[in-house]
Amino acid sequence: MRKLRVLYVTLVFVFLYLPLGVMIAYSFNSSRFSMAWKGLTLDWYVKLFGNTALMQAALHSLLIAALAATCSSILGTLIAMALQRWRFPSRKVIHTSLFVMMMSPDIVIGISLLVLFMALSLPLGFWTLLMAHITLCVPFVSITVYGRLQGFDPHVVEAARDLGAGEYEVFRHVVLPMVFPAVLAGWFLSFTLSIDDVIISFFTTGPTFEVLPLRIYSMVRLGLKPEVNALCAIMILITVVAVFVSQRFLKEK
Amino acid sequence: MKNDGFFKLAVIVGAISWMAIFAFVPNVLVFLASFSSTSSANFIEPGFSFNNYARLMDATHLGILLSSLRLSGLVTVICLVTAYPFAAVLARTPKPLRNTLLLLVIIPFWTNSLVRTYAMTAMLNSSGIVNNVLLALGIIDSPLAMMYTPGAVVLGLVYTLLPFMILPLYAALERLDRRYLEAARDLGASPWRAFWKVVVPLTMPGIVSGCMLVFLPGIGMFYVSDVLGGAKAMLLGNFIRDQFLTTRDWPLGAAASVTLTVLMGVMLLLYWKSAARLGRKEA
């Protein structure tokens, strides 16, 4: 029975990791056209860094992810605090909407924002993409931070109030330091969400501002390319690092 | 404390207006668009008719809708059946090892799903690893055509979405108080009966949220069906995308999107009901 369990868990992990491993292995394969092994090479990585369009898209992705993560961390934290500390009309509606947005299929968010941007006649590009990614990330930050706030002793805030702190001081010197690990975790979460997103970006960015997943998407549709293997290998590596770092922040309590 | 009220007011007003602009208004616009019509001059010609929903119900469109629901439903069932025992074993693994295993689930969870879909092509290609292994073992003599089939799309969706099923199930199973199970067994329930009558109801919120996290994106992930299914396998996501970007029939695409949103609403209600029922029982 025990052996069976170990075998089962191992099989699921093999299923999850084998394709990734194979792709990483092929990114070092010197054969261009077949999957047959022709020896080790770093050519694809060299080619990758020489591909200016791809590098440009990668820079765009990093820029959007960093900005979206930062804006949504600030916005998400403020919303979480407002929901937790104050009673105001529409509080429940906002709380529910955050859950609904988190569960919404990306395609629904993508087209609804496309319709919004069209209605406002905003040209699709950097700004619309940034707004779309912030919209995608805020609910995740809010819910993470809200969960963290729920676990705290409300007396600490009361004590700060009694000692004369205003709402801003309470936020700056009491709430923020307490939830900071959750905010950082939310930042990393947002960063990965933004870098990973294909569907929402597909609808909300224009030809003037191309991001990495969309670039990969158009390359992948044309068939296997060793440079793409190399690029994907790098992206996996970045994800692994991000996961380790964010787990660190979440664990420190 | 002079600016006391100002900060509070600014945050509340900011939160409300942000949610209104980016969550409420866009969805209302799509909802309105689904009742409008299209003209050569405009993507959307304001109006009110159920025409688009009627068109969604004609034979071709209904076929796409149903096949998409079937495909995604199948993916959800496969993920649930695969993930449940996996999550159960994970929840009972001792602490340090469990954390490591959990981290190993989180890594693919956060890895770009397009990258993971693409990795699947390296497995399924005619010169891919699966064919190579089968050929080398002499099980087949010519490569199997696995790419561009509905099966490839199902496999690709299961592959990308499996972690989204494992994590909520794990959370539910980890919280499960094993004393309930012991009590059921002491009272004479067979292991099977104890599982259905005790474990499944207690982990229902996890089951429902896992199914939501697999089923809903499964319908929408058009790139999985593009990359692994060629032009053949159609998801509702492909349909919506094409209405917005190729055919330019926004009202019809909006109606399809509203349908998907309603589906999500139903599933969310199911989730809240199952969570609330549990909450009542435990209170």
Side-chain angles (χ1 to χ4, degrees), chain B residues 8-69:
Chain B
K8 183 173 165 180
L9 191 73
V11 171
I12 291 177
V13 169
I16 294 176
S17 38
W18 190 84
M19 291 296 288
I21 297 170
F22 291 102
F24 189 66
V25 171
N27 284 301
V28 169
L29 285 175
V30 171
F31 187 68
L32 291 178
S34 75
F35 293 104
S36 65
S37 58
T38 168
S39 73
S40 51
N42 275 317
F43 290 143
I44 294 167
E45 202 62 47
F48 185 84
S49 80
F50 286 95
N51 193 19
N52 300 307
Y53 291 94
R55 278 162 72 208
L56 214 52
M57 291 298 131
D58 73 23
T60 359
H61 297 146
L62 197 65
I64 295 167
L65 189 69
L66 291 180
S67 78
S68 174
L69 293 180

Side-chain angles (χ1 to χ4, degrees), chain A residues 83-149:
Chain A
L83 289 177
Q84 212 265 337
R85 287 210 350 91
W86 302 319
R87 297 290 170 267
F88 53 92
S90 78
R91 177 180 160 271
K92 275 231 155 102
V93 178
I94 291 184
H95 199 196
T96 313
S97 310
L98 287 172
F99 273 105
V100 173
M101 282 168 81
M102 225 164 59
M103 284 291 183
S104 283
D106 285 358
I107 194 155
V108 171
I109 301 178
I111 65 148
S112 69
L113 289 174
L114 172 66
V115 171
L116 174 78
F117 296 144
M118 285 294 150
L120 298 172
S121 48
L122 290 175
L124 295 180
F126 171 79
W127 290 107
T128 51
L129 185 68
L130 180 61
M131 284 188 268
H133 279 209
I134 294 172
T135 309
L136 167 71
C137 299
V138 160
F140 289 87
V141 177
S142 279
I143 301 292
T144 311
V145 174
Y146 186 84
R148 186 89 177 185
L149 277 169

Side-chain angles (χ1 to χ4, degrees), chain B residues 33 54 108 150 157 182 221 265-266:
Chain B
L157 287 173
E182 283 159 21
M221 289 174 99
V266 172

Side-chain angles (χ1 to χ4, degrees), chain A residues 50-73:
Chain A
N51 185 335
T52 43
L54 211 57
M55 284 297 111
Q56 174 89 11
L59 279 179
H60 284 172
S61 270
L62 289 174
L63 177 69
I64 285 285
L67 285 174
T70 307
C71 295
S72 50
S73 296

Side-chain angles (χ1 to χ4, degrees), chain A residues 30-53:
Chain A
S30 53
S31 156
R32 157 108 229 175
F33 294 106
S34 85
M35 300 299 260
W37 191 258
K38 289 272 168 61
L40 218 59
T41 181
L42 285 175
D43 281 3
W44 310 123
Y45 288 89
V46 175
K47 254 211 156 98
L48 176 69
F49 288 104
N51 185 335
T52 43

